[in-house]
């Protein structure tokens, strides 16, 4: 489902998109990478790629397009960073449920905001959160790890 936040076309639309999402992208990257500087570098590269591919992104959903690039870029940066902290959610869960849980449960984004950031509808985000909770409960049936 397309994001309800359809950016305008052209440079102004891209600039508004960046202004709306950069901080949350950096929070996500920092939470997964454990390094503010590396997170900022990864996000800058992701946003540059989005800018270069903005016309293609606008043919679909720019939020979903950019989120996929961000997730892949952060995952690659984690693999290259020898001292990256544990990323338990992304080790235990598929990408979307892990991202949904990280944004909502750990970073405190409201479901509507987390959904918009990922380029999902809010009902789809709720499905991802339920999947995350179910999988984590199956991995920790006694609830010792506190869930997502």
């Amino acid at each position: 489902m397309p994001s309800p936040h359809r950016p305008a076309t052209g440079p102004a639309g891209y600039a508004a998109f960046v202004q709306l999402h950069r901080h949350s992208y950096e929070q996500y990257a920092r939470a997964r990478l454990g390094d503010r500087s590396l997170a900022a570098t990864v996000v800058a590269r992701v946003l540059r790629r989005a800018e270069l591919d903005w016309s293609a992104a606008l043919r679909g959903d720019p939020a979903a397009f950019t989120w996929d690039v961000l997730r892949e870029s952060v995952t690659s940066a984690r693999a290259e960073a020898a001292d990256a902290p544990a990323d338990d959610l992304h080790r235990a869960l598929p990408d979307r449920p892990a991202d949904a849980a990280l944004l909502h449960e750990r970073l405190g984004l409201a479901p509507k905001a987390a959904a918009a950031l990922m380029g999902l509808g809010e009902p789809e985000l709720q499905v991802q959160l339920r999947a995350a909770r179910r999988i984590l409960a199956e991995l920790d049936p006694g609830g010792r790890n506190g869930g997502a």
Side-chain angles (χ1 to χ4, degrees):
M1 170 179 251
S3 170
H5 302 289
R6 293 292 282 189
T9 59
Y14 171 76
F17 180 86
V18 169
Q19 186 174 23
L20 184 64
H21 296 297
R22 179 187 294 270
H23 178 71
S24 295
Y25 286 172
E26 287 177 349
Q27 284 184 304
Y28 168 83
R30 190 169 46 247
R32 290 199 57 206
L33 297 170
D35 180 313
R36 181 182 300 265
S37 177
L38 179 57
T41 299
V42 168
V43 170
R45 286 184 193 146
V46 166
L47 292 173
R48 179 66 178 143
R49 178 169 171 203
E51 180 181 23
L52 294 172
D53 293 338
W54 194 241
S55 294
L58 287 172
R59 286 192 287 274
D61 182 346
F65 170 83
T66 309
W67 185 260
D68 288 343
V69 173
L70 177 65
R71 182 186 338 102
E72 291 167 10
S73 298
V74 168
T75 299
S76 293
R78 276 192 57 73
E80 295 169 12
D83 59 346
D87 189 5
D88 296 338
L89 284 175
H90 286 81
R91 213 177 7 246
L93 300 171
D95 287 335
R96 281 196 173 185
D99 288 345
L102 177 64
L103 292 173
H104 178 62
E105 304 290 341
R106 294 203 177 155
L107 297 179
L109 270 67
K112 184 175 183 175
L117 195 65
M118 293 175 66
L120 304 175
E122 191 173 350
E124 188 176 351
L125 181 93
Q126 293 293 348
V127 168
Q128 299 303 326
L129 288 171
R130 283 193 298 275
R133 290 178 187 124
R134 179 183 46 78
I135 293 167
L136 291 172
E138 289 171 2
L139 293 174
D140 186 22
R144 292 176 300 275
N145 291 326

